[in-house]
Amino acid sequence: MTAGGAPRGDPERGKAIVVGAPGLAPEQACISCHGIDGQGDPAAAFPRLAAQSQDYLLRALEDYADGRRVHDIMTPVAKALSSGQRQDVTAFYASRRDTAWIRPPLEKPELLQYGAALAAIGSATLGIQGCINCHGPAGKGLPPTAPYLSGQPASYIAARLVAWRGANKADDATPANIMARLAGRMGEREIAAVSEYYAQIAPDPIPASTISAAGQPLNQEPTP
Ligand code: HEC
Ligand code: HEC
């Protein structure tokens, strides 16, 4: 479903594309990196796609396909799909609302509190506004434009912020290139802190498996 619009594409056809499509080499099948249900892979900085808004996912694929967003792996994958297939596959991943999530081990506990502060209020000194303004409470996203950050691998969040700081500014579809400008004002410490912080928050909706495994809701701010 798109926010306020008609659903585009067919999730059933999308599911077939996830496991392979003509024109894609076997290792280019989405399943090998994002998983059948869009869980992603923190170890390799592969983003979680499950229950992300279709508008956002589809625009990401369109941006790779037409060169606005550039990535060694994703550019050829998106180009190999037709526009209809991009709709189908994003309809499928957007519909995955109960994909398992495992809270990663805390790598830099000393940065968690700083990450929480940056997320909530930003930093007046650095000229960074709070992420919550656009990414919503607990990083759950504000569809259709702002993606969720909660439950994304820290490695992926950091990689995108670093890319925006460097040459890859054109892929920023925000008005006035807000993400590239924010990232440009962040140092290593800020990037590590917000990445670690959002990686610790369960995605919304909280997968049932996560609740039963932990016995408690996890989509709250982690306690440092
Ligand atoms: C070999 C690993 C690999 C394969 C196969 C792969 N991806 Fe990706 N995907 C990635 C990586 C790495 C990124 C992050 C790229 C970046 O930083 O821009 C990504 C990013 C994305 C994004 C953007 C997510 C976001 O939050 O902005 C979408 C959407 C996506 N992939 C969909 C797909 C689909 C659909 C397929 C199959 C047709 C697929 N990917 C196949 C590794 C892969
Ligand atoms: C003014 C609104 C705004 C603010 C403030 C903002 N963002 Fe964003 N952010 C966006 C939008 C919109 C996108 C989608 C960009 C795109 O599609 O190119 C985005 C994308 C991202 C992404 C890429 C997610 C993905 O799945 O690829 C990351 C990471 C991110 N923002 C982190 C942050 C962090 C960390 C902060 C706080 C320091 C922040 N953002 C503050 C609007 C904002």
Side-chain angles (χ1 to χ4, degrees):
M1 276 294 249
T2 59
R8 282 162 298 173
D10 172 12
E12 281 308 311
R13 283 200 305 261
K15 186 175 184 177
I17 295 166
V18 166
V19 294
L24 286 183
E27 68 275 12
Q28 287 180 311
C30 331
I31 189 172
S32 50
C33 302
H34 298 287
I36 182 68
D37 289 315
Q39 61 267 34
D41 183 353
F46 297 151
R48 183 179 176 93
L49 305 178
Q52 189 65 277
S53 87
Q54 190 194 1
D55 295 73
Y56 175 77
L57 295 177
L58 183 55
R59 196 167 42 72
L61 289 187
E62 300 298 342
D63 286 355
Y64 289 125
D66 67 19
R68 254 194 311 270
R69 184 169 169 180
V70 178
H71 189 266
D72 288 354
I73 296 172
M74 282 310 301
T75 298
V77 167
K79 278 190 200 291
L81 301 176
S82 69
S83 132
Q85 287 174 314
R86 292 194 286 265
Q87 293 185 9
D88 292 341
V89 78
T90 53
F92 174 73
Y93 276 135
S95 74
R96 303 290 85 199
R97 307 196 52 87
D98 192 26
T99 295
W101 178 81
I102 298 169
R103 175 173 280 168
L106 204 49
E107 303 212 349
K108 302 184 185 92
E110 72 283 3
L111 285 182
L112 208 50
Q113 211 159 11
Y114 186 40
L118 289 172
I121 56 172
S123 160
T125 326
L126 297 172
I128 297 167
Q129 56 168 311
C131 323
I132 198 174
N133 291 352
C134 303
H135 292 280
K140 59 157 93 172
L142 290 180
T145 44
Y148 67 73
L149 302 177
S150 43
Q152 279 297 10
S155 51
Y156 174 67
I157 297 176
R160 287 228 68 197
L161 293 171
V162 168
W164 272 320
R165 241 181 5 173
N168 207 355
K169 292 194 185 2
D171 76 14
D172 179 4
T174 54
N177 281 51
I178 186 78
M179 278 316 307
R181 284 197 295 150
L182 283 176
R185 293 171 189 162
M186 297 170 88
E188 297 298 327
R189 188 156 173 271
E190 284 69 36
I191 290 181
V194 284
S195 304
E196 177 95 331
Y197 172 74
Y198 280 120
Q200 289 292 317
I201 306 179
D204 180 78
I206 313 172
S209 57
T210 301
I211 299 173
S212 52
Q216 56 177 5
L218 292 170
N219 69 337
Q220 298 157 351
E221 295 193 357
T223 0

